[in-house]
Amino acid sequence: MLTAALVVTVVVAAAALMTRLRMLVRVTVDRRPGHVLALGFVAWFLAVPLEIESIAMAVDRWAGWALAWTLLHVIACAGGFFTQTFYWLATSDRTDSLQRATVASSVRRSAVLGVSALTVGLILFATRPRDVNFLSGPAGRMVTPGPVHPVAALIYIVIVSYFAYTIASFTVTSWRWAAKADLPWLRRGLRIHTVGCVFGLVFCAHVIGYQLAEAVGIIPPWPELQGDGALVALSLLPAFVGVTAPGWGPRVEQIARSLRHYRHRRRLYPLWRMLSGSVVTLDPPQSEWQDRLRLRPGQQHALVYRRVIELWDGLLALHPTMSGSVGLDGPDLAGDIDWWLEIARAVRSRPLDEVLASYQGQS
């Protein structure tokens, strides 16, 4: 189950990476934030397969030592750094020299912290490259809980602490940016992304807490890999979905709107048949099935608008003195559609003239 979740995450990550790279190509003003984000996406994409036990074990067998652990944590820290840098660049005014200097200082500070944490961690790791704490598969502490050497636990804590620092940074920035975003799908995407970031922080807390517990002789009742893998999937999936939402969200919304217009047009079809006989209609369907099969999403708004126009034409042809509560001068098409849907529902059980008379307050 865990492996399947991680595989799905890899697929979503690949799709997200392709989406962001495609958007990056279209940018012509300042590509730096997009380039940095693309590097972060590449890092996240490469890190996820190393969380899958069978892949990590194959890498370790090939190297003869815990190479998968080393690659995973170096790549993850790089992904955190690039994503953090993207948020700093994207949320600052690069024409303001003070903000530009502040961002540059923050990036340098994060880079120094990251290189320092990785250097300390890898030096300590070099003293215990085959420690059971870093092995993949059933022999490793990720799968089989047990006591760990304090130095091995310290390596985890040093590296993951920097990773947590980067996640905390862009979690706060993502949430603040969402509150200021004026585009609906940018705002939604950033909030979804923030949810993924929060799970990333929970992942870091889980790793550090688990290592501390094992270092002092407390053995948790669940394997670390089980908790870490689930939290990685819960983190990366919403993070990738959220950061690409401005690209696919409007298209999904457009499809949903087209489906709604199609459904409204079909519900108005029986009433349209009753009223359209007295007027000349534009491009009328030859049959109900032809009306059903007008499926192109881009046409649905125009078709339902035409249906409403023809309903009014039919009504006014039969009853020239009558006008609806909304009418063509209403605030929008949705108001007219709602009014006609009410009429269509009432006509199912009562004669049309009686329904129209009741809406006009006539006896």
Side-chain angles (χ1 to χ4, degrees):
M1 181 65 181
L2 176 58
T3 299
L6 290 171
V7 169
V8 171
T9 306
V10 172
V11 174
V12 174
L17 176 60
M18 292 301 102
T19 301
R20 293 308 301 182
L21 290 176
R22 182 168 173 265
M23 295 173 66
L24 174 61
V25 170
R26 296 181 175 180
V27 175
T28 58
V29 180
D30 188 352
R31 297 189 176 187
R32 286 177 297 173
H35 282 297
V36 173
L37 182 61
L39 289 172
F41 264 63
V42 170
W44 298 124
F45 175 67
L46 294 175
V48 173
L50 293 172
E51 286 279 357
I52 299 175
E53 183 179 330
S54 58
I55 295 177
M57 290 178 64
V59 172
D60 287 350
R61 282 197 301 269
W62 174 80
W65 52 284
L67 176 61
W69 185 92
T70 309
L71 290 174
L72 173 62
H73 288 78
V74 171
I75 291 171
C77 286
F81 170 75
F82 287 128
T83 306
Q84 179 189 56
T85 302
F86 161 76
Y87 272 98
W88 281 335
L89 290 173
T91 57
S92 64
D93 182 2
R94 287 180 293 282
T95 62
D96 186 324
S97 58
L98 180 59
Q99 289 192 37
R100 192 166 60 248
T102 301
V103 169
S105 175
S106 299
V107 171
R108 285 194 298 269
R109 181 177 64 250
S110 180
V112 170
L113 288 174
V115 170
S116 300
L118 286 172
T119 300
V120 171
L122 294 178
I123 289 173
L124 293 174
F125 175 81
T127 66
R128 311 183 64 84
R130 294 178 176 81
D131 191 283
V132 68
N133 202 30
F134 309 117
L135 294 179
S136 303
R141 284 289 174 259
M142 292 284 288
V143 176
T144 306
V148 301
H149 194 280
V151 173
L154 179 62
I155 296 169
Y156 260 103
I157 293 170
V158 168
I159 294 178
V160 174
S161 292
Y162 171 73
F163 186 56
Y165 158 71
T166 63
I167 295 178
S169 174
F170 56 74
T171 299
V172 173
T173 306
S174 179
W175 183 256
R176 289 177 177 172
W177 198 8
K180 299 177 181 178
D182 53 350
L183 299 176
W185 276 102
L186 177 59
R187 182 168 56 252
R188 294 165 190 157
L190 286 169
R191 286 174 176 166
I192 295 172
H193 181 262
T194 304
V195 171
C197 294
V198 170
F199 277 111
L201 290 173
V202 175
F203 161 80
C204 294
H206 179 262
V207 172
I208 293 173
Y210 204 102
Q211 289 294 314
L212 287 173
E214 288 186 321
V216 299
I218 300 174
I219 311 302
W222 67 92
E224 183 180 353
L225 180 64
Q226 186 177 30
D228 287 355
L231 289 170
V232 165
L234 289 171
S235 173
L236 293 182
L237 278 172
F240 287 137
V241 168
V243 82
T244 57
W248 53 260
R251 293 184 177 87
V252 172
E253 193 169 43
Q254 183 180 12
I255 292 173
R257 189 183 306 114
S258 297
L259 290 173
R260 186 169 62 252
H261 286 159
Y262 174 83
R263 186 172 64 252
H264 289 160
R265 179 169 60 83
R266 290 297 306 142
R267 288 178 178 173
L268 292 174
Y269 180 80
L271 182 61
W272 174 84
R273 287 292 301 269
M274 295 180 189
L275 290 174
S276 64
S278 58
V279 296
V280 177
T281 60
L282 300 173
D283 187 25
Q286 300 297 320
S287 65
E288 182 175 356
W289 273 107
Q290 186 183 14
D291 191 66
R292 289 178 183 271
L293 294 176
R294 293 184 170 189
L295 301 174
R296 291 179 60 182
Q299 294 181 341
Q300 299 309 312
H301 179 272
L303 289 174
V304 75
Y305 181 77
R306 179 186 300 171
R307 180 135 300 170
V308 168
I309 295 290
E310 292 171 352
L311 284 168
W312 279 108
D313 289 345
L315 172 64
L316 295 176
L318 291 174
H319 303 277
T321 61
M322 299 177 71
S323 62
S325 59
V326 178
L328 292 177
D329 57 348
D332 52 29
L333 177 63
D336 275 21
I337 290 176
D338 289 341
W339 191 80
W340 280 109
L341 286 173
E342 289 182 15
I343 300 291
R345 283 191 291 268
V347 167
R348 294 175 189 172
S349 57
R350 298 159 58 194
L352 175 60
D353 287 342
E354 179 183 329
V355 171
L356 293 175
S358 66
Y359 270 84
Q360 295 299 311
Q362 299 176 5
S363 57

